[in-house]
Amino acid sequence: MNDWQMKREGNEDQHRNNKRTYTKKIREEKSFNLQMGFSQDNLKGFVLALSSSAFIGASFIIKKKGLRRAAAASGVRAGVGGFSYLLEPLWWLGMITMIVGEVANFVAYAFAPAVLVTPLGALSIIVSAVLAHFILNEKLHQLGILGCVMCIAGSIVIVIHAPQERPITSVQEIWSMAIQPAFLLYVGSVVVLVFIMIVHFAPQCGHSNVLVFTGICSFMGSLSVMSVKAVGTALKLTFEGNNQLLYPETWFFVLIVATCVITQMNYLNKALDTFNTAVVSPIYYVMFTSLTILASVIMFKDWDGQNVGSIISEICGFIVVLSGTILLHTTRDFERSSSFRGSYASSSPTLSARLCNGNGEFMKHEENLLPDEAICFQRQEMH
């Protein structure tokens, strides 16, 4: 009996020693990751985010081509309530490409913080702009190329100074973050603003102001990212052996994701069909990324534990990315208005007029001008 007790105590001591050794090793790895500024999980999230940007950037162009074909075949555009694009194979190819990109993005959020993953979406703008230059004949100016370079440079700065992902052990832990008073206030504000834009602003000026449709997408997108991160983390823990599908919180987050994605898809289609791809992409990115980072900082407290220098570097990198996207947008808008003035010999149109004609049909001088675009331009010129 004494020998058995001694053996048992010896096994317990060995178990405690192994546990202390494992804990020490984990702490050393975390300390090393903090010093290096980039963990294995962040690396996985980074690679997935890059792949996502490539697919999503290409999907903008493919869907745009599909929307044009559908409008030409049916005479009713998605921007005015048409749904003929659902019968267009090219549009579905674009949707599949976007889904692949979104899946990669979905998985990226399970490994890396939103402060790292979301700004990398700027690379999709670069992909979209380059492909639009060659496929849609939407010329990319030299200043637009500079904007692309700025997006890349800013993304590199953000990646280098990205915070480490906080370890999460259950979806209930995420739920406790989601019901914080500060985040609930953010959610309530988003719901109210989106409701006002859908009910009041979309019918009145949705087809003349690009900020309406993209604003709805961006606000809903910030909530969808938070829910996607929750669902992705739950699936990651489930695959690791800690089943999170048993908790109702997981399925609530799934419902939020579905609601937000459906709303985003609807109004993003309207924005793409009504305005130029070079206008929609950067504005959507700027609004979506800013709101998503804000929501993530409030909910997940990504910047807690980071030094002031790293936070400032991330903010500066983000500002560089925003400047690049704005430069790219401004350059394309200037080229479109210059081409328009040269063709019609009219006075300089307002920004709203140029955005109204954002599909690029005027810019490319297509022979078959759609009636909706002509009416839109005439209304803007009257003011």
Side-chain angles (χ1 to χ4, degrees):
M1 189 67 177
N2 291 333
D3 292 340
W4 179 80
Q5 288 179 346
M6 292 176 61
K7 185 176 181 180
R8 180 182 178 183
E9 290 177 358
N11 291 335
E12 290 178 353
D13 291 339
Q14 184 178 2
H15 176 72
R16 283 193 293 269
N17 290 333
N18 292 337
K19 186 176 181 180
R20 282 195 292 267
T21 302
Y22 176 77
T23 303
K24 182 179 179 181
K25 182 179 179 181
I26 292 298
R27 289 177 179 175
E28 289 176 352
E29 288 179 354
K30 289 183 177 180
S31 177
F32 176 77
N33 288 334
L34 288 174
Q35 292 175 3
M36 296 299 295
F38 213 66
S39 66
Q40 290 295 322
D41 282 350
N42 275 14
L43 179 60
K44 293 177 183 178
F46 170 70
V47 173
L48 288 167
L50 287 182
S51 302
S52 172
S53 295
F55 281 106
I56 293 177
S59 73
F60 274 101
I61 306 304
I62 299 173
K63 289 174 66 178
K64 181 80 172 182
K65 293 284 287 185
L67 289 169
R68 286 183 176 179
R69 285 189 182 182
S74 65
V76 181
R77 300 169 51 196
V80 294
F83 292 95
S84 59
Y85 60 86
L86 295 175
L87 302 176
E88 175 57 49
L90 192 59
W91 183 87
W92 282 108
L93 177 61
M95 277 301 301
I96 293 173
T97 306
M98 175 169 282
I99 289 172
V100 172
E102 292 295 347
V103 169
N105 201 47
F106 176 90
V107 180
Y109 281 112
F111 289 98
V115 175
L116 168 63
V117 176
T118 306
L120 292 178
L123 302 180
S124 67
I125 299 176
I126 298 176
V127 173
S128 177
V130 172
L131 292 179
H133 175 80
F134 292 104
I135 298 176
L136 300 180
N137 296 322
E138 298 175 3
K139 186 178 179 182
L140 183 62
H141 192 268
Q142 291 182 349
L143 289 179
I145 297 175
L146 176 61
C148 294
V149 173
M150 293 176 65
C151 289
I152 296 174
S155 297
I156 292 174
V157 173
I158 292 173
V159 168
I160 293 175
H161 298 279
Q164 301 301 315
E165 178 77 332
R166 175 183 296 183
I168 298 175
T169 58
S170 69
V171 71
Q172 292 175 319
E173 185 177 346
I174 302 179
W175 178 257
S176 64
M177 299 176 184
I179 59 176
Q180 299 174 85
F183 188 70
L184 289 178
L185 178 61
Y186 175 81
V187 173
S189 302
V190 167
V191 172
V192 171
L193 287 174
V194 168
F195 179 79
I196 293 175
M197 283 192 289
I198 291 177
V199 174
H200 179 70
F201 290 103
Q204 292 189 3
C205 55
H207 297 90
S208 60
N209 191 331
V210 69
L211 297 178
V212 177
F213 291 152
T214 54
I216 295 172
C217 294
S218 301
F219 278 112
M220 296 301 290
S222 67
L223 297 184
S224 69
V225 167
M226 299 302 101
S227 301
V228 161
K229 186 168 182 62
V231 175
T233 303
L235 292 177
K236 177 186 175 183
L237 293 172
T238 299
F239 292 142
E240 292 175 352
N242 186 6
N243 191 359
Q244 301 296 306
L245 303 180
L246 302 175
Y247 300 107
E249 290 86 353
T250 300
W251 298 106
F252 178 80
F253 284 124
V254 171
L255 177 62
I256 297 299
V257 170
T259 302
C260 293
V261 168
I262 291 173
T263 305
Q264 283 179 266
M265 183 178 68
N266 182 33
Y267 284 95
L268 182 58
N269 283 331
K270 291 179 182 292
L272 284 173
D273 190 59
T274 306
F275 305 101
N276 195 295
T277 305
V279 175
V280 174
S281 297
I283 293 180
Y284 176 55
Y285 167 78
V286 170
M287 297 179 67
F288 168 73
T289 305
S290 302
L291 292 170
T292 299
I293 291 178
L294 175 61
S296 182
V297 168
I298 295 174
M299 180 174 173
F300 291 99
K301 295 180 172 55
D302 292 326
W303 286 343
D304 286 5
Q306 276 200 297
N307 57 54
V308 177
S310 295
I311 295 175
I312 293 176
S313 297
E314 290 173 44
I315 294 175
C316 291
F318 182 53
I319 291 175
V320 171
V321 173
L322 292 184
S323 301
T325 58
I326 293 173
L327 178 62
L328 178 60
H329 157 61
T330 304
T331 303
R332 301 296 295 273
D333 191 45
F334 174 77
E335 289 180 352
R336 182 171 61 257
S337 62
S338 298
S339 176
F340 185 86
R341 286 196 303 269
S343 177
Y344 288 87
S346 61
S347 60
S348 176
T350 63
L351 177 61
S352 298
R354 295 198 300 272
L355 293 179
C356 180
N357 296 286
N359 277 311
E361 276 76 14
F362 282 116
M363 181 189 70
K364 291 184 286 294
H365 311 295
E366 293 184 353
E367 295 180 359
N368 298 323
L369 187 65
L370 295 177
D372 293 323
E373 294 177 30
I375 295 174
C376 182
F377 171 72
Q378 290 174 359
R379 288 178 179 174
Q380 293 295 339
E381 284 296 296
M382 289 176 64
H383 297 284

